Structure formats: C-alpha cells, structure tokens
Amino acid sequence: MSGLELYIKDEEAMTQLGHALAQQSAGHGVIFLQGDLGAGKTTLSRGILRGLGHTGAVKSPTFTLVEPYEIGPLRAWHFDLYRLADPEELEYLGIRDYFADDDLCLIEWPQQGQGYLPQPDLEITIKTHNDGRIVRLLPNSTRGESWCVALATLT
Ligand SMILES: Nc1ncnc2c1ncn2[C@@H]1O[C@H](COP(=O)(O)OP(=O)(O)OP(=O)(O)O)[C@@H](O)[C@H]1O
Ligand SMILES: [Mg+2]
C-alpha cells in the first residue's frame, strides 16, 4: 500500500485520528510528523498519547527537544527538533538510547535531525486545506503498512 490521504476537518477529528494511531501502534514504533508551523503535529501527537491512556498535559517540547511519557507499562518520547541547531547534537543527547527499546517515538521536524534518526515506521505530513487539514500517511516498514491498512478500513 502506497499510503493514505485523509481530510481531517477539525481538532476533534485530529484527536480521533491520534486515537486510531495509538490503537494500531500499541505504543511501539517511530513516527515522523512533518508540516509547517501550526500544521497540527503536536495536536496529533497529543491525540496519540491520550489514545494510549495518558491523562495529563501534552506540552510542545519545543524548548526541551524531548518530553518523556510513562503510560502504564509503556514509554513514549515526543520530540520537537525545530530548534536543533545541528543534527550532530543528537549524538550528545544520546539519541540512540531513545530508540533502543522499541518505545513509541513521535518526532516533529525530523528533517532537522537528518542522518541521526532511525527509519520511521510511518511518515505523516500535514497540510492546511480549507478550514481543516490534509493528513498524508506514508508507511515505511511492514509495521507501518499494517497500521495504514487498518486505518484505511476505518475511514
Ligand atoms: N484538523 C484540523 N483542522 C483545523 N485545525 C486544526 C486541526 N488540527 C489542529 N488544528 C489546530 O491547528 C493548530 C495546530 O497547532 P499545533 O501546535 O498542533 O501545530 P504544530 O504543527 O505542532 O506546530 P509547530 O511546528 O509550531 O510545533 C492548533 O490551534 C489546533 O487547534
Ligand atoms: Mg508542535
């Protein structure tokens, strides 16, 4: 499957998509989130984390680069690499450790970390369209493919 393109009309629908992605991923894998400032990357990440059962706030990790979450037995890491000056900095942050245990890694602005990030299971690109968003889901592993196949049957 070559991917999915969905029209997501508002923030509520974006949250629902996050819940569906949470259910599919079951808290494992690497997801890239791409799109302009304000596209909805953090909104979708919040939906995914809440869908996994996180009940607290989901802040944008713009200044911290990464925000950790413990959700029952699951761990998730939410990155925002917008302010990363040089991808090499990820080496000093011990970036490899984050990906070692097959936790869920949500990465906003992955292009800022090019060369230092693993291959994603799923690449999400969000674009403004009318009052809503076009969300493109591009699988990049067999796992990502199975998520997309399942999501296609929901929509
Ligand atoms: N599907 C949607 N339709 C309309 N508005 C949306 C949709 N999804 C999110 N929004 C709104 O768009 C804004 C997106 O902000 P958000 O912080 O999620 O963007 P972002 O892509 O993470 O930006 P940044 O690059 O600055 O981190 C929020 O105000 C949210 O309510
Ligand atoms: Mg954001």
Side-chain angles (χ1 to χ4, degrees):
M1 100 127 35
S2 58
L4 274 181
E5 206 170 78
L6 307 170
Y7 179 67
I8 305 294
K9 68 176 166 66
D10 57 18
E11 180 165 350
E12 169 63 24
M14 200 66 137
T15 304
Q16 286 311 312
L17 175 61
H19 284 208
L21 278 165
Q23 201 173 30
Q24 286 310 313
S25 73
H28 303 284
V30 177
I31 299 178
F32 284 3
L33 297 119
Q34 308 181 127
D36 293 341
L37 287 168
K41 302 178 293 294
T42 298
T43 305
L44 183 55
S45 299
R46 186 177 293 119
I48 295 172
L49 292 163
R50 292 258 166 80
L52 289 173
H54 175 70
T55 50
V58 174
K59 294 172 289 175
S60 178
T62 307
F63 294 98
T64 52
L65 284 181
V66 58
E67 203 64 57
Y69 293 88
E70 278 200 34
I71 312 165
L74 300 172
R75 279 188 311 171
W77 308 94
H78 180 199
F79 293 86
D80 181 342
L81 304 182
Y82 185 70
R83 284 173 191 276
L84 195 67
D86 183 336
E88 210 182 333
E89 282 177 39
L90 291 174
E91 204 68 78
Y92 307 121
L93 279 173
I95 190 77
R96 272 169 240 258
D97 297 343
Y98 290 101
F99 303 108
D101 295 330
D102 198 28
D103 297 330
L104 182 67
C105 290
L106 306 171
I107 309 176
E108 299 187 34
W109 296 100
Q111 61 271 45
Q112 294 281 101
Q114 213 170 25
Y116 292 85
L117 299 175
Q119 288 290 314
D121 293 295
L122 185 67
E123 243 180 283
I124 300 179
T125 307
I126 309 173
K127 287 203 173 87
T128 302
H129 185 79
N130 299 333
D131 288 337
R133 304 289 187 267
I134 300 279
V135 179
R136 234 178 104 230
L137 305 168
L138 193 64
N140 194 42
S141 70
T142 45
R143 175 151 69 178
E145 289 232 358
S146 73
W147 300 349
C148 287
V149 167
L151 285 170
T153 66
L154 293 177
T155 52

